[in-house]
Amino acid sequence: MARRLNETPPPGPAAGAPPIPGAEHIRQERTPAERAYDAIRELSERDKAFVQKEFGDGRFWKLKAFMEGTAWRDVGRAENPQPQTWLGRMYQGLREWSWNQGGQRPYQAAAVRDREMRELGEDATFLRMTTGTNGASLRRWIKTGAKIVGGAGAMAAGMMLTGGLTTVIGTPIFVAGLRELADGGVGILQAGWNVAGNWLKRRWEAQDASRAGTPGYDPTGRPNPDLGSMNPLQRSWEGKKAFWRNFVEKTTLEDEGLLRTYITNDVRDLKRLAEAPGLPAGAREASIARIIANMRENEAQLQEIRDHNLTVRRFYKFGRNFVSTIASVGGAVLQGVPLGFNDSWVSQGIGYGPGANPFAQMLLGASRWLGGAGSLAYLAARWTEFSHQGLEQHYGDSAKDWIANLKPEHENTRERVSGERTVVEQYLEELRDITLPGTRNLQKTGEYFRTLENEAASLGAMEPACHLVVTITGGTQIKEALESYAKQKTETGAPINWKEVEFLIFNDADANPAQLAKTIASIKKAAPSIQFRIVNAVSFEDGTSEENKRSTRQRYLDDLALMRSIKRPQRIQKPVYVVNGVSEGIHDEHFLGSILKRIDEKNPPAVLTGANHEIRGVNALYRGFFPAINDLENYLEGDWTTLRDNNYSAFRAMNYARIGGPRGAREDIVQSILEDVADTQERRTPTVSEKQKYLTKELTSLYRWYALYPSFREYRGDKAKFEADVLRKPRMNAPSPITDEQILHGEGRASFVRWMETGFGLVEGTHYYIRDNTRDIYLNIDPAGANWPVIEAAFSGRGRVK
Amino acid sequence: MADATSTQPQFDIGTVIEGNLFDLLGLTSLPEEQQDALRLTIMESIRDRVLLRIVKQLQPDQETEWLGLLDRDAPQAELEAYLAQAGVNVSSLVAEEALQYKIELAQRLGLVTEDA
């Protein structure tokens, strides 16, 4: 890599070039760009020299190879936009987010900051920058009011700002901090803090401005002392009392666990969106911005909880060390152990008791006080150290949890980035285990999707240009319908480009196969490029009525169309629309042409929401997504009675989202649906009960998790592991055990899916435990006749079940 | 910023952290190939710093053991696994050093406002 740099001349006149007459003085100073170039090279040479000196040449090259992995040298290169190693991806992320992003994409800056802070194991509002020591910046930095995570000295300075304790221990701590500075400058202030502090201050002022007048904040944007959400140490006394009451009455652990889960999910979403190839830029950015907004909101709440917990630690340690300090000071005074003096020397040289030298007595008293002050300073320093350790431990634990939670996503990312298989293709394996209750005779695990795959393959590859599928479920007038379709024209009267259209025709007795074949042969003679696909008949048991039968066939053809689309070897840019092809004949010769035109108008399908509903105006149905979202919204709005009817389509929407649509937009479709769900949840007014609210929140979270993170794949075929890791036997207060019939019916993945389905179906009197990375979900379907399930969180290791 | 004058613009630390480094340094007018080369140089610097940080985070016996693995040409995965079990989070180090590098470079060039 460095060799490549050496081949590149520095900016400015080439070395050895003759000076421009009369302009020699210009070259006496380097331009800013040249200075930057020089500085980068100097740092590079210096760093390299350090490393080579440290390790020697032999090890250096091996270490370099280790760091570079297999794709380091290609990081950031256009021909390799997706680095193959985790380290490469890290650099890629830094390059794209930290270095290449500009003001037009501020959320990416937020993203990288959040990510970096999280990976550093620190709270996102803290920064750690250690590039030297600058004692002169102490006072300026203190004025900023910035919170700090740093060395013990930095902690001491920070404590002086947090209020309450300053008067008592501020000075000794400051002294202790200076002592540290004198001892080598371990962290009282690290260079950059002065400017970083001001930067943070401005950020927080802007935050205050944005909060002005909102609940919990006063008209200036400052936290309401009694209702505010900032560090309780900064509140009024009444506010502090309210905080303590709140703290005593309500444990924050549950909230923290939930928030962590949400944030973790958001981070995962974010990373997936950021790393998923082929997304339309606008859709990706909009989704990222939205996720980050959610994440920040959750993180703000989490910070509040952390502040609360941290306050407890501080007060506890303060109390403990304050008592120790008093005891030590008292002990020092009583025992007469002054600094620099020796009692025996004092008693021999100066004397005790009557007749003793009064000056000596005065010195002795002064020395005792000095000793006390020294002890106080020492203990105060120890106190800050303890506090700092507590802080480190606190945030360190959080960071570990976070990283642990992120691990499955890292694994998934690695697999996705390094492998040739797309996300959809991975999902297909998952989907094989999903039972679709709408096709009851096909509901054996995976059979439905295998059927789809087999049928899609048997029909031959879909044309790369195809983005309109006309599905025909059968009917007595199919001949007339097909002949009418064959005569279709564009809106300008030009012939239809039949490579863009495919007809999927369900071949059953009603369609009169012999007549159908004859009709198709006749049409193909006139229009050879028109694409008919005769779909082998499968039987369904969804109902006996004609309406039900056609509806089920229609769903099957929809699924088949989507399956064929995603099985195409080439990615397509346009969406695939599935049109319910009426078999009674088409009277408007521009029917297909108008749809194709609208698809073009809507392309690329950055947002598959409201605007595309217009397509319906021409009798086209974008099946699956929108009705399902509506169903889900109904559910989330509390329309419980329709849940059983709607859970199928809700699940189906997720499945469609995962397999359907053009490859380039699939993640966006998922995200779009999830955001719709989230929007619905936000808009929802909890009216029925807190339990319903809780259930909605939990299930939505699980829904997201289920839809996006098929980490349960690892359990396939390993029932014991699934049971051990995911499902727990009921605890003592759960009256009925989990049985294979209830949950563990089949392989792990299918079992969980079944739980999700039955969870929506709600088997009364059944108790389930589901555990994800951060908590146990305890689901108790109330057998006492109430329709509402109770779903409560019990956090791992806490042993808390309501 | 990339003009030929010696006037040095300054930025607050927030801009430095969030801004495009090449914008800040006035290097955007460089050909893409030269920018790419500089990026790689920067990455090398960060890489070297991370290497130093890695061994600093290891206990002396761990360092000996890990370097021993290196000397024996142990597979990449084994080297990574050893660091992971030793509690060395290379990703965090990379992120941290990258941020520090950026700030150091900006400070070195006097790009950070003194009164910020």
Side-chain angles (χ1 to χ4, degrees), chain A residues 5 29 35 59 66 86 98-99 101 113 119 129 198-199, chain B residues 5-6 8 14 18 20 41 49 71 76 80 92 102-103 116:
Chain A
L5 177 63
E29 284 189 11
R35 290 184 56 223
R59 277 180 173 165
F66 163 72
W86 56 271
S98 193
W99 294 342
Q101 48 77 29
R113 194 162 52 247
E119 287 174 345
M129 286 169 282
N198 271 311
W199 173 68
Chain B
T5 70
S6 60
Q8 188 67 69
E18 296 191 5
N20 181 323
T41 307
R49 293 170 182 215
D71 292 339
Q76 180 89 4
E80 289 182 17
S92 296
K102 191 175 181 183
I103 294 169

PDB file of all heavy atoms in Angstrom, chain A residues 5 29 35 59 66 86 98-99 101 113 119 129 198-199, chain B residues 5-6 8 14 18 20 41 49 71 76 80 92 102-103 116:
ATOM      1  N   LEU A   5       1.531   4.656  -2.541  1.00  0.00           N
ATOM      2  CA  LEU A   5       1.609   6.065  -2.181  1.00  0.00           C
ATOM      3  C   LEU A   5       2.874   6.687  -2.736  1.00  0.00           C
ATOM      4  O   LEU A   5       2.878   7.807  -3.245  1.00  0.00           O
ATOM      5  CB  LEU A   5       1.572   6.217  -0.659  1.00  0.00           C
ATOM      6  CG  LEU A   5       1.717   7.638  -0.154  1.00  0.00           C
ATOM      7  CD1 LEU A   5       0.548   8.488  -0.630  1.00  0.00           C
ATOM      8  CD2 LEU A   5       1.791   7.649   1.362  1.00  0.00           C
ATOM      9  N   GLU A  29       6.172  29.073   1.441  1.00  0.00           N
ATOM     10  CA  GLU A  29       5.221  28.472   2.365  1.00  0.00           C
ATOM     11  C   GLU A  29       4.435  27.387   1.652  1.00  0.00           C
ATOM     12  O   GLU A  29       4.057  27.540   0.484  1.00  0.00           O
ATOM     13  CB  GLU A  29       4.240  29.525   2.881  1.00  0.00           C
ATOM     14  CG  GLU A  29       4.834  30.438   3.924  1.00  0.00           C
ATOM     15  CD  GLU A  29       3.780  31.318   4.551  1.00  0.00           C
ATOM     16  OE1 GLU A  29       2.589  31.057   4.320  1.00  0.00           O
ATOM     17  OE2 GLU A  29       4.154  32.247   5.251  1.00  0.00           O
ATOM     18  N   ARG A  35       0.620  21.082   3.358  1.00  0.00           N
ATOM     19  CA  ARG A  35       0.936  20.845   4.778  1.00  0.00           C
ATOM     20  C   ARG A  35       0.199  19.611   5.290  1.00  0.00           C
ATOM     21  O   ARG A  35       0.740  18.807   6.045  1.00  0.00           O
ATOM     22  CB  ARG A  35       0.561  22.076   5.611  1.00  0.00           C
ATOM     23  CG  ARG A  35       1.467  23.277   5.360  1.00  0.00           C
ATOM     24  CD  ARG A  35       1.089  24.421   6.283  1.00  0.00           C
ATOM     25  NE  ARG A  35       1.116  24.027   7.666  1.00  0.00           N
ATOM     26  CZ  ARG A  35       0.195  24.345   8.563  1.00  0.00           C
ATOM     27  NH1 ARG A  35      -0.829  25.089   8.202  1.00  0.00           N
ATOM     28  NH2 ARG A  35       0.288  23.944   9.799  1.00  0.00           N
ATOM     29  N   ARG A  59       8.491  -9.337  12.765  1.00  0.00           N
ATOM     30  CA  ARG A  59       7.161  -9.360  13.352  1.00  0.00           C
ATOM     31  C   ARG A  59       6.263  -8.272  12.773  1.00  0.00           C
ATOM     32  O   ARG A  59       5.052  -8.449  12.692  1.00  0.00           O
ATOM     33  CB  ARG A  59       7.257  -9.201  14.859  1.00  0.00           C
ATOM     34  CG  ARG A  59       7.547 -10.505  15.577  1.00  0.00           C
ATOM     35  CD  ARG A  59       7.641 -10.288  17.056  1.00  0.00           C
ATOM     36  NE  ARG A  59       7.749 -11.553  17.763  1.00  0.00           N
ATOM     37  CZ  ARG A  59       8.130 -11.645  19.029  1.00  0.00           C
ATOM     38  NH1 ARG A  59       8.451 -10.560  19.692  1.00  0.00           N
ATOM     39  NH2 ARG A  59       8.183 -12.817  19.627  1.00  0.00           N
ATOM     40  N   PHE A  66      -1.517  -9.591   9.727  1.00  0.00           N
ATOM     41  CA  PHE A  66      -2.637  -9.916  10.615  1.00  0.00           C
ATOM     42  C   PHE A  66      -3.690  -8.820  10.577  1.00  0.00           C
ATOM     43  O   PHE A  66      -4.890  -9.061  10.463  1.00  0.00           O
ATOM     44  CB  PHE A  66      -2.127 -10.095  12.040  1.00  0.00           C
ATOM     45  CG  PHE A  66      -3.225 -10.026  13.066  1.00  0.00           C
ATOM     46  CD1 PHE A  66      -4.138 -11.041  13.194  1.00  0.00           C
ATOM     47  CD2 PHE A  66      -3.332  -8.931  13.906  1.00  0.00           C
ATOM     48  CE1 PHE A  66      -5.162 -10.967  14.135  1.00  0.00           C
ATOM     49  CE2 PHE A  66      -4.339  -8.845  14.835  1.00  0.00           C
ATOM     50  CZ  PHE A  66      -5.258  -9.861  14.953  1.00  0.00           C
ATOM     51  N   TRP A  86     -13.615  -8.353   8.916  1.00  0.00           N
ATOM     52  CA  TRP A  86     -14.266  -7.466   9.894  1.00  0.00           C
ATOM     53  C   TRP A  86     -13.465  -6.199  10.058  1.00  0.00           C
ATOM     54  O   TRP A  86     -13.996  -5.118  10.209  1.00  0.00           O
ATOM     55  CB  TRP A  86     -14.448  -8.177  11.222  1.00  0.00           C
ATOM     56  CG  TRP A  86     -13.177  -8.713  11.807  1.00  0.00           C
ATOM     57  CD1 TRP A  86     -12.642  -9.926  11.596  1.00  0.00           C
ATOM     58  CD2 TRP A  86     -12.281  -8.020  12.675  1.00  0.00           C
ATOM     59  NE1 TRP A  86     -11.468 -10.056  12.274  1.00  0.00           N
ATOM     60  CE2 TRP A  86     -11.217  -8.903  12.946  1.00  0.00           C
ATOM     61  CE3 TRP A  86     -12.279  -6.753  13.244  1.00  0.00           C
ATOM     62  CZ2 TRP A  86     -10.161  -8.548  13.776  1.00  0.00           C
ATOM     63  CZ3 TRP A  86     -11.227  -6.408  14.062  1.00  0.00           C
ATOM     64  CH2 TRP A  86     -10.181  -7.299  14.321  1.00  0.00           C
ATOM     65  N   SER A  98     -17.034   8.368   8.855  1.00  0.00           N
ATOM     66  CA  SER A  98     -16.322   9.334   9.662  1.00  0.00           C
ATOM     67  C   SER A  98     -15.567  10.337   8.801  1.00  0.00           C
ATOM     68  O   SER A  98     -15.378  11.467   9.187  1.00  0.00           O
ATOM     69  CB  SER A  98     -15.340   8.607  10.576  1.00  0.00           C
ATOM     70  OG  SER A  98     -14.863   9.465  11.558  1.00  0.00           O
ATOM     71  N   TRP A  99     -15.159   9.900   7.658  1.00  0.00           N
ATOM     72  CA  TRP A  99     -14.297  10.755   6.868  1.00  0.00           C
ATOM     73  C   TRP A  99     -14.975  11.304   5.628  1.00  0.00           C
ATOM     74  O   TRP A  99     -14.708  12.388   5.192  1.00  0.00           O
ATOM     75  CB  TRP A  99     -13.052   9.977   6.460  1.00  0.00           C
ATOM     76  CG  TRP A  99     -12.205   9.630   7.638  1.00  0.00           C
ATOM     77  CD1 TRP A  99     -12.263  10.207   8.871  1.00  0.00           C
ATOM     78  CD2 TRP A  99     -11.226   8.637   7.706  1.00  0.00           C
ATOM     79  NE1 TRP A  99     -11.359   9.630   9.696  1.00  0.00           N
ATOM     80  CE2 TRP A  99     -10.698   8.658   9.010  1.00  0.00           C
ATOM     81  CE3 TRP A  99     -10.724   7.732   6.786  1.00  0.00           C
ATOM     82  CZ2 TRP A  99      -9.692   7.807   9.415  1.00  0.00           C
ATOM     83  CZ3 TRP A  99      -9.722   6.891   7.201  1.00  0.00           C
ATOM     84  CH2 TRP A  99      -9.220   6.931   8.508  1.00  0.00           C
ATOM     85  N   GLN A 101     -18.359  11.504   5.060  1.00  0.00           N
ATOM     86  CA  GLN A 101     -19.681  12.082   5.136  1.00  0.00           C
ATOM     87  C   GLN A 101     -19.581  13.569   5.361  1.00  0.00           C
ATOM     88  O   GLN A 101     -18.652  14.070   5.970  1.00  0.00           O
ATOM     89  CB  GLN A 101     -20.511  11.412   6.226  1.00  0.00           C
ATOM     90  CG  GLN A 101     -19.816  11.273   7.558  1.00  0.00           C
ATOM     91  CD  GLN A 101     -19.758  12.554   8.336  1.00  0.00           C
ATOM     92  OE1 GLN A 101     -20.632  13.385   8.196  1.00  0.00           O
ATOM     93  NE2 GLN A 101     -18.736  12.724   9.115  1.00  0.00           N
ATOM     94  N   ARG A 113     -20.825   8.233  15.344  1.00  0.00           N
ATOM     95  CA  ARG A 113     -20.492   8.624  16.711  1.00  0.00           C
ATOM     96  C   ARG A 113     -21.121   7.643  17.695  1.00  0.00           C
ATOM     97  O   ARG A 113     -20.482   7.169  18.619  1.00  0.00           O
ATOM     98  CB  ARG A 113     -20.977  10.041  16.974  1.00  0.00           C
ATOM     99  CG  ARG A 113     -20.390  10.641  18.217  1.00  0.00           C
ATOM    100  CD  ARG A 113     -20.528  12.131  18.212  1.00  0.00           C
ATOM    101  NE  ARG A 113     -21.880  12.559  17.971  1.00  0.00           N
ATOM    102  CZ  ARG A 113     -22.304  13.192  16.902  1.00  0.00           C
ATOM    103  NH1 ARG A 113     -21.453  13.469  15.941  1.00  0.00           N
ATOM    104  NH2 ARG A 113     -23.548  13.543  16.745  1.00  0.00           N
ATOM    105  N   GLU A 119     -18.961   1.129  20.796  1.00  0.00           N
ATOM    106  CA  GLU A 119     -17.890   0.156  20.718  1.00  0.00           C
ATOM    107  C   GLU A 119     -16.753   0.513  21.663  1.00  0.00           C
ATOM    108  O   GLU A 119     -15.964  -0.342  22.044  1.00  0.00           O
ATOM    109  CB  GLU A 119     -17.404   0.040  19.280  1.00  0.00           C
ATOM    110  CG  GLU A 119     -18.426  -0.691  18.417  1.00  0.00           C
ATOM    111  CD  GLU A 119     -18.056  -0.716  16.970  1.00  0.00           C
ATOM    112  OE1 GLU A 119     -17.175   0.066  16.590  1.00  0.00           O
ATOM    113  OE2 GLU A 119     -18.645  -1.516  16.230  1.00  0.00           O
ATOM    114  N   MET A 129     -10.784  11.443  24.421  1.00  0.00           N
ATOM    115  CA  MET A 129      -9.735  11.801  23.479  1.00  0.00           C
ATOM    116  C   MET A 129      -8.446  11.981  24.261  1.00  0.00           C
ATOM    117  O   MET A 129      -8.348  12.852  25.117  1.00  0.00           O
ATOM    118  CB  MET A 129     -10.098  13.071  22.727  1.00  0.00           C
ATOM    119  CG  MET A 129     -11.160  12.820  21.685  1.00  0.00           C
ATOM    120  SD  MET A 129     -11.820  14.332  21.004  1.00  0.00           S
ATOM    121  CE  MET A 129     -12.909  14.815  22.319  1.00  0.00           C
ATOM    122  N   ASN A 198     -16.402  22.337  25.047  1.00  0.00           N
ATOM    123  CA  ASN A 198     -17.211  23.409  24.476  1.00  0.00           C
ATOM    124  C   ASN A 198     -18.105  22.906  23.366  1.00  0.00           C
ATOM    125  O   ASN A 198     -19.229  23.358  23.187  1.00  0.00           O
ATOM    126  CB  ASN A 198     -16.303  24.524  23.943  1.00  0.00           C
ATOM    127  CG  ASN A 198     -15.998  25.538  25.017  1.00  0.00           C
ATOM    128  OD1 ASN A 198     -16.908  26.005  25.692  1.00  0.00           O
ATOM    129  ND2 ASN A 198     -14.732  25.850  25.194  1.00  0.00           N
ATOM    130  N   TRP A 199     -17.556  21.972  22.637  1.00  0.00           N
ATOM    131  CA  TRP A 199     -18.366  21.404  21.576  1.00  0.00           C
ATOM    132  C   TRP A 199     -19.588  20.703  22.164  1.00  0.00           C
ATOM    133  O   TRP A 199     -20.715  20.876  21.707  1.00  0.00           O
ATOM    134  CB  TRP A 199     -17.528  20.425  20.770  1.00  0.00           C
ATOM    135  CG  TRP A 199     -18.320  19.671  19.747  1.00  0.00           C
ATOM    136  CD1 TRP A 199     -18.897  20.180  18.621  1.00  0.00           C
ATOM    137  CD2 TRP A 199     -18.621  18.286  19.760  1.00  0.00           C
ATOM    138  NE1 TRP A 199     -19.536  19.191  17.932  1.00  0.00           N
ATOM    139  CE2 TRP A 199     -19.392  18.025  18.610  1.00  0.00           C
ATOM    140  CE3 TRP A 199     -18.315  17.235  20.624  1.00  0.00           C
ATOM    141  CZ2 TRP A 199     -19.862  16.750  18.310  1.00  0.00           C
ATOM    142  CZ3 TRP A 199     -18.774  15.973  20.325  1.00  0.00           C
ATOM    143  CH2 TRP A 199     -19.536  15.741  19.171  1.00  0.00           C
TER     144      TRP A 199
ATOM    145  N   THR B   5      -3.154  29.964  -0.966  1.00  0.00           N
ATOM    146  CA  THR B   5      -2.802  30.870   0.107  1.00  0.00           C
ATOM    147  C   THR B   5      -2.397  30.086   1.337  1.00  0.00           C
ATOM    148  O   THR B   5      -2.690  28.919   1.481  1.00  0.00           O
ATOM    149  CB  THR B   5      -3.990  31.779   0.460  1.00  0.00           C
ATOM    150  OG1 THR B   5      -4.966  30.959   1.087  1.00  0.00           O
ATOM    151  CG2 THR B   5      -4.560  32.443  -0.754  1.00  0.00           C
ATOM    152  N   SER B   6      -1.716  30.774   2.216  1.00  0.00           N
ATOM    153  CA  SER B   6      -1.302  30.103   3.441  1.00  0.00           C
ATOM    154  C   SER B   6      -2.296  30.326   4.570  1.00  0.00           C
ATOM    155  O   SER B   6      -2.080  29.905   5.676  1.00  0.00           O
ATOM    156  CB  SER B   6       0.080  30.610   3.870  1.00  0.00           C
ATOM    157  OG  SER B   6       0.002  32.002   4.088  1.00  0.00           O
ATOM    158  N   GLN B   8      -4.964  29.771   7.061  1.00  0.00           N
ATOM    159  CA  GLN B   8      -5.379  28.473   7.577  1.00  0.00           C
ATOM    160  C   GLN B   8      -6.758  28.588   8.220  1.00  0.00           C
ATOM    161  O   GLN B   8      -6.911  29.222   9.253  1.00  0.00           O
ATOM    162  CB  GLN B   8      -4.375  28.001   8.629  1.00  0.00           C
ATOM    163  CG  GLN B   8      -4.598  26.576   9.094  1.00  0.00           C
ATOM    164  CD  GLN B   8      -4.324  25.570   8.008  1.00  0.00           C
ATOM    165  OE1 GLN B   8      -3.201  25.381   7.604  1.00  0.00           O
ATOM    166  NE2 GLN B   8      -5.375  24.932   7.528  1.00  0.00           N
ATOM    167  N   GLY B  14     -16.269  19.891  16.971  1.00  0.00           N
ATOM    168  CA  GLY B  14     -17.404  19.156  16.421  1.00  0.00           C
ATOM    169  C   GLY B  14     -17.308  19.018  14.917  1.00  0.00           C
ATOM    170  O   GLY B  14     -17.562  17.960  14.350  1.00  0.00           O
ATOM    171  N   GLU B  18     -17.014  15.575  12.909  1.00  0.00           N
ATOM    172  CA  GLU B  18     -18.081  15.179  12.010  1.00  0.00           C
ATOM    173  C   GLU B  18     -17.765  15.458  10.552  1.00  0.00           C
ATOM    174  O   GLU B  18     -18.373  14.879   9.662  1.00  0.00           O
ATOM    175  CB  GLU B  18     -19.380  15.904  12.380  1.00  0.00           C
ATOM    176  CG  GLU B  18     -19.889  15.536  13.754  1.00  0.00           C
ATOM    177  CD  GLU B  18     -21.294  16.044  13.995  1.00  0.00           C
ATOM    178  OE1 GLU B  18     -21.874  16.594  13.059  1.00  0.00           O
ATOM    179  OE2 GLU B  18     -21.779  15.875  15.094  1.00  0.00           O
ATOM    180  N   ASN B  20     -15.919  16.002   6.862  1.00  0.00           N
ATOM    181  CA  ASN B  20     -15.140  15.211   5.929  1.00  0.00           C
ATOM    182  C   ASN B  20     -13.676  15.618   6.082  1.00  0.00           C
ATOM    183  O   ASN B  20     -13.321  16.788   5.905  1.00  0.00           O
ATOM    184  CB  ASN B  20     -15.637  15.498   4.510  1.00  0.00           C
ATOM    185  CG  ASN B  20     -14.881  14.698   3.476  1.00  0.00           C
ATOM    186  OD1 ASN B  20     -13.676  14.489   3.595  1.00  0.00           O
ATOM    187  ND2 ASN B  20     -15.592  14.260   2.467  1.00  0.00           N
ATOM    188  N   THR B  41      -2.644   5.723   3.419  1.00  0.00           N
ATOM    189  CA  THR B  41      -1.571   6.106   4.348  1.00  0.00           C
ATOM    190  C   THR B  41      -2.130   6.332   5.744  1.00  0.00           C
ATOM    191  O   THR B  41      -1.534   5.905   6.743  1.00  0.00           O
ATOM    192  CB  THR B  41      -0.897   7.400   3.848  1.00  0.00           C
ATOM    193  OG1 THR B  41      -0.490   7.213   2.498  1.00  0.00           O
ATOM    194  CG2 THR B  41       0.329   7.716   4.691  1.00  0.00           C
ATOM    195  N   ARG B  49      -0.882   2.214  15.026  1.00  0.00           N
ATOM    196  CA  ARG B  49      -1.228   2.610  16.390  1.00  0.00           C
ATOM    197  C   ARG B  49      -2.044   1.527  17.082  1.00  0.00           C
ATOM    198  O   ARG B  49      -1.883   1.277  18.280  1.00  0.00           O
ATOM    199  CB  ARG B  49      -2.038   3.916  16.354  1.00  0.00           C
ATOM    200  CG  ARG B  49      -1.217   5.097  15.868  1.00  0.00           C
ATOM    201  CD  ARG B  49      -2.080   6.305  15.614  1.00  0.00           C
ATOM    202  NE  ARG B  49      -1.255   7.396  15.093  1.00  0.00           N
ATOM    203  CZ  ARG B  49      -1.457   8.669  15.374  1.00  0.00           C
ATOM    204  NH1 ARG B  49      -2.460   9.015  16.154  1.00  0.00           N
ATOM    205  NH2 ARG B  49      -0.683   9.588  14.876  1.00  0.00           N
ATOM    206  N   ASP B  71       4.738 -15.684  15.631  1.00  0.00           N
ATOM    207  CA  ASP B  71       6.004 -16.222  15.124  1.00  0.00           C
ATOM    208  C   ASP B  71       5.814 -17.586  14.491  1.00  0.00           C
ATOM    209  O   ASP B  71       6.518 -17.965  13.562  1.00  0.00           O
ATOM    210  CB  ASP B  71       7.031 -16.309  16.262  1.00  0.00           C
ATOM    211  CG  ASP B  71       7.453 -14.926  16.728  1.00  0.00           C
ATOM    212  OD1 ASP B  71       7.288 -13.962  15.955  1.00  0.00           O
ATOM    213  OD2 ASP B  71       7.928 -14.812  17.872  1.00  0.00           O
ATOM    214  N   GLN B  76      -5.016 -16.690  11.065  1.00  0.00           N
ATOM    215  CA  GLN B  76      -5.650 -15.420  11.430  1.00  0.00           C
ATOM    216  C   GLN B  76      -6.707 -15.620  12.511  1.00  0.00           C
ATOM    217  O   GLN B  76      -6.781 -14.871  13.483  1.00  0.00           O
ATOM    218  CB  GLN B  76      -6.296 -14.817  10.173  1.00  0.00           C
ATOM    219  CG  GLN B  76      -6.999 -13.497  10.385  1.00  0.00           C
ATOM    220  CD  GLN B  76      -6.070 -12.313  10.197  1.00  0.00           C
ATOM    221  OE1 GLN B  76      -4.909 -12.498   9.834  1.00  0.00           O
ATOM    222  NE2 GLN B  76      -6.564 -11.129  10.465  1.00  0.00           N
ATOM    223  N   GLU B  80      -6.912 -13.877  16.227  1.00  0.00           N
ATOM    224  CA  GLU B  80      -8.067 -13.073  16.628  1.00  0.00           C
ATOM    225  C   GLU B  80      -8.729 -13.651  17.857  1.00  0.00           C
ATOM    226  O   GLU B  80      -9.125 -12.926  18.776  1.00  0.00           O
ATOM    227  CB  GLU B  80      -9.078 -13.001  15.483  1.00  0.00           C
ATOM    228  CG  GLU B  80      -8.620 -12.153  14.315  1.00  0.00           C
ATOM    229  CD  GLU B  80      -9.681 -12.061  13.219  1.00  0.00           C
ATOM    230  OE1 GLU B  80     -10.854 -12.368  13.507  1.00  0.00           O
ATOM    231  OE2 GLU B  80      -9.319 -11.699  12.102  1.00  0.00           O
ATOM    232  N   SER B  92     -12.833  -1.885  18.781  1.00  0.00           N
ATOM    233  CA  SER B  92     -12.892  -0.668  19.586  1.00  0.00           C
ATOM    234  C   SER B  92     -11.605   0.131  19.441  1.00  0.00           C
ATOM    235  O   SER B  92     -11.634   1.361  19.348  1.00  0.00           O
ATOM    236  CB  SER B  92     -13.103  -1.021  21.061  1.00  0.00           C
ATOM    237  OG  SER B  92     -14.332  -1.646  21.222  1.00  0.00           O
ATOM    238  N   LYS B 102      -7.671  11.488  13.725  1.00  0.00           N
ATOM    239  CA  LYS B 102      -8.298  12.601  13.039  1.00  0.00           C
ATOM    240  C   LYS B 102      -8.107  13.899  13.833  1.00  0.00           C
ATOM    241  O   LYS B 102      -7.769  14.944  13.278  1.00  0.00           O
ATOM    242  CB  LYS B 102      -9.777  12.286  12.869  1.00  0.00           C
ATOM    243  CG  LYS B 102     -10.514  13.212  11.956  1.00  0.00           C
ATOM    244  CD  LYS B 102     -11.945  12.686  11.794  1.00  0.00           C
ATOM    245  CE  LYS B 102     -12.724  13.588  10.852  1.00  0.00           C
ATOM    246  NZ  LYS B 102     -14.116  13.151  10.743  1.00  0.00           N
ATOM    247  N   ILE B 103      -8.334  13.793  15.116  1.00  0.00           N
ATOM    248  CA  ILE B 103      -8.206  14.987  15.947  1.00  0.00           C
ATOM    249  C   ILE B 103      -6.748  15.432  16.026  1.00  0.00           C
ATOM    250  O   ILE B 103      -6.430  16.619  15.952  1.00  0.00           O
ATOM    251  CB  ILE B 103      -8.771  14.704  17.347  1.00  0.00           C
ATOM    252  CG1 ILE B 103     -10.275  14.479  17.239  1.00  0.00           C
ATOM    253  CG2 ILE B 103      -8.461  15.838  18.295  1.00  0.00           C
ATOM    254  CD1 ILE B 103     -10.882  13.939  18.490  1.00  0.00           C
ATOM    255  N   ALA B 116     -12.436  27.283  20.926  1.00  0.00           N
ATOM    256  CA  ALA B 116     -13.655  26.512  20.698  1.00  0.00           C
ATOM    257  C   ALA B 116     -14.134  25.885  21.987  1.00  0.00           C
ATOM    258  O   ALA B 116     -13.362  25.637  22.881  1.00  0.00           O
ATOM    259  CB  ALA B 116     -13.392  25.434  19.673  1.00  0.00           C
TER     260      ALA B 116
END
